Structure formats: structure tokens, C-alpha cells
Amino acid sequence: MSLKTVMQKLLSTTFALSSRSLATSTSLWKGYDPVQESLMDNENLILVDAEDKVTGKASKRYCHLVQADGSLPLHRAFSIYLFNTKGEFLLQQRSDTKITFPAAYTNTCCSHPLYIADEMDMSDNGIGVKRAALRRIETELGVGSDQLKAEDVHLMTRMLYEAKSDSIWGEHELAYLFVVKKDIEIKANPNEVKDVKYVSQNEFRDFEKDCDNRDVKFTPWFSLVKRELLFNWWNNIDRIMSTPYDGKIRHMYEK
């Protein structure tokens, strides 16, 4: 390789890194919430490949930052879908302070396992991810171990998807999808959650229309699950809770 080629590659890499650094620094002048901002650098997430094999770790900021080539780093995540004993589904509206998809309605709880031993434990169909889910539902909704235990959280499947929140931030996740049937008491954390709402199936269609009329969005991952899986779970919730984990990774990228 010639010296000229080496220098060109070095300049190209430097430019890409500088562009990424500039995008990162916009968090300062856009006035993001300090709590959400701190999490971007203080939490390391689990980078994976499309087969869910760990490839490394990276900050939450890096995992959600659109790269110079337009890509987003693939990382491990989870989503909880909770139904009460009346058959109602619990939605949450993300706080206005969230850096990605603020104020969007979504499933009950969604976040990421951290790059720590307890949450990287893949025994028993990924018990580490389940530990992360229990940690986050307490953080977001105040639902502690006195209300919800690991055996209440049923792993159904996994999904791959990618979506941009704006020109700077986005999601590219391999997410574990959990279903819960449980009555819980909620103490929502306002820094994480703007609103919570139980809906029956009949009410859900009207709720969708109301959100559309008010230009309130749904998160892209929830929209995909809603389209492909949610109503099957909802219609068969008692049977679903005893259905074995399917072991699949569903490719749910938007075409």
C-alpha cells in the first residue's frame, strides 16, 4: 500500500471520527436532560452480531449514535409486554426527556442489559437479560421484586430491527421479548415515563386513532411487534404463558 493511500485512509478515518464527535457534542447545545445525558456515557451495552453472539461492549451513547456511514451498532435489548388479570395491556408513554423517541407510546418497559456479568449470563435462556428487565421495570414503573419475580417473566422470542429517531440518534437492536400476566401497582418515574395506560383490545383500536389524531407516535419496535405478534399473545394470554420459548431470532427490519 502506497504512502498516499495510507494517508487518504487516515484522513478519511479522522474525518469520520470528527463527524461522530461533532454529532455527540450536539447533546450539549440541544439541552438534553442531565439524567438521560449521563446514562449515555455511564452505561455500557452489549454489542452482538445477528446471531446474538457477543462482539464487544460500547457506551449507550455510541450504540444509539448514527455513524458516519448511516449505520447503527447492533446491541442486545429487551421489551416487556404486561397484561393484567382483566386482559388489559399496559402501555407507557416515554418521557419528553428521553433522547430517542421522546413522548412516543410503547410497550410496558423496554431497555438494555448491561455489559456486566449478572446481565450477560446466558444460562436458562438468557437469565441475565431477564435480570435486566426486572431492574428496569423497577426503575421505570416502581415495580420491585415484591411484585414481580423472574418466574413471572416469560421469554417468547427475539427480534432484530433498526430505526432512526432523527438524524443523530436511533436504535439497532436484537431484543428479547417477554410477556407477563400480573396485576401490579405502578409508581412511574417521571424522568422515564410520561404516562401509563391500561387498554382492552376494544379500547386499543380507538386509542390508536386518538394518537393518530393528536400526532402522538408509537415507537418503531412496538409498532413491529403490534403488527406481527401482539394480538396473538393477547388473544391467547393464558396459553402463551406456558408456551416454550421458540429460540428464534425474527428479522423484523422494515423493507
Side-chain angles (χ1 to χ4, degrees):
M1 185 182 295
S2 70
L3 178 60
K4 181 179 179 182
T5 301
V6 171
M7 290 302 296
Q8 286 175 335
K9 286 183 175 291
L10 179 61
L11 286 170
S12 175
T13 302
T14 301
F15 176 76
L17 290 172
S18 297
S19 299
R20 193 175 303 151
S21 177
L22 178 61
T24 302
S25 70
T26 60
S27 62
L28 299 177
W29 51 260
K30 286 187 75 171
Y32 291 130
D33 175 80
V35 174
Q36 295 295 328
E37 171 69 20
S38 69
L39 294 174
M40 282 292 182
D41 294 315
N42 293 338
E43 292 186 342
N44 283 322
L45 307 187
I46 305 165
L47 297 174
V48 294
D49 63 19
E51 299 300 319
D52 202 16
K53 301 294 189 297
V54 175
T55 61
K57 67 178 179 178
S59 69
K60 186 176 180 181
R61 181 187 304 279
Y62 178 82
C63 288
H64 294 87
L65 184 65
V66 178
Q67 303 296 291
D69 63 358
S71 67
L72 283 153
L74 179 60
H75 55 280
R76 193 174 283 162
F78 66 82
S79 283
I80 300 174
Y81 292 77
L82 185 143
F83 302 84
N84 64 18
T85 55
K86 294 192 291 185
E88 296 169 324
F89 172 56
L90 179 59
L91 290 151
Q92 72 151 271
Q93 185 178 22
R94 291 164 66 84
S95 170
D96 293 335
T97 66
K98 299 292 281 186
I99 292 174
T100 58
F101 306 100
Y105 269 98
T106 193
N107 52 286
T108 309
C109 177
C110 37
S111 190
H112 317 87
L114 302 179
Y115 193 88
I116 58 176
D118 273 358
E119 297 187 6
M120 295 178 71
D121 183 354
M122 296 307 290
S123 63
D124 193 22
N125 291 328
I127 185 63
V129 186
K130 190 177 288 190
R131 290 177 185 140
L134 291 169
R135 170 178 58 82
R136 282 301 299 181
I137 199 168
E138 182 169 15
T139 298
E140 295 183 15
L141 299 177
V143 179
S145 59
D146 59 325
Q147 295 194 68
L148 200 63
K149 303 187 185 308
E151 55 265 30
D152 299 319
V153 181
H154 185 61
L155 176 61
M156 296 300 303
T157 192
R158 292 170 291 174
M159 67 178 283
L160 276 167
Y161 79 95
E162 182 175 9
K164 290 183 173 68
S165 181
D166 54 32
S167 61
I168 299 173
W169 306 105
E171 290 282 11
H172 188 193
E173 296 185 329
L174 194 156
Y176 287 60
L177 306 184
F178 296 110
V179 172
V180 176
K181 183 183 178 185
K182 189 85 171 180
D183 292 327
I184 58 171
E185 293 183 12
I186 300 167
K187 295 180 181 177
N189 177 351
N191 191 261
E192 295 284 344
V193 179
K194 184 174 183 176
D195 187 28
V196 292
K197 187 177 182 66
Y198 278 106
V199 291
S200 67
Q201 281 206 51
N202 289 336
E203 293 167 338
F204 187 75
R205 298 304 186 190
D206 290 336
F207 179 71
E208 283 185 298
K209 292 176 184 176
D210 179 61
C211 286
D212 188 53
N213 290 338
R214 293 185 291 121
D215 197 30
V216 176
K217 306 299 184 185
F218 290 99
T219 59
W221 62 89
F222 176 58
S223 295
L224 290 168
V225 172
K226 176 165 61 75
R227 186 181 70 195
E228 302 289 339
L229 297 167
L230 178 64
F231 291 97
N232 179 52
W233 296 342
W234 209 335
N235 288 327
N236 301 281
I237 186 61
D238 290 320
R239 180 175 60 80
I240 286 296
M241 293 306 297
S242 60
T243 300
Y245 164 54
D246 68 7
K248 294 179 180 179
I249 299 174
R250 299 168 183 264
H251 288 241
M252 296 172 72
Y253 292 106
E254 290 280 21
K255 294 183 174 65

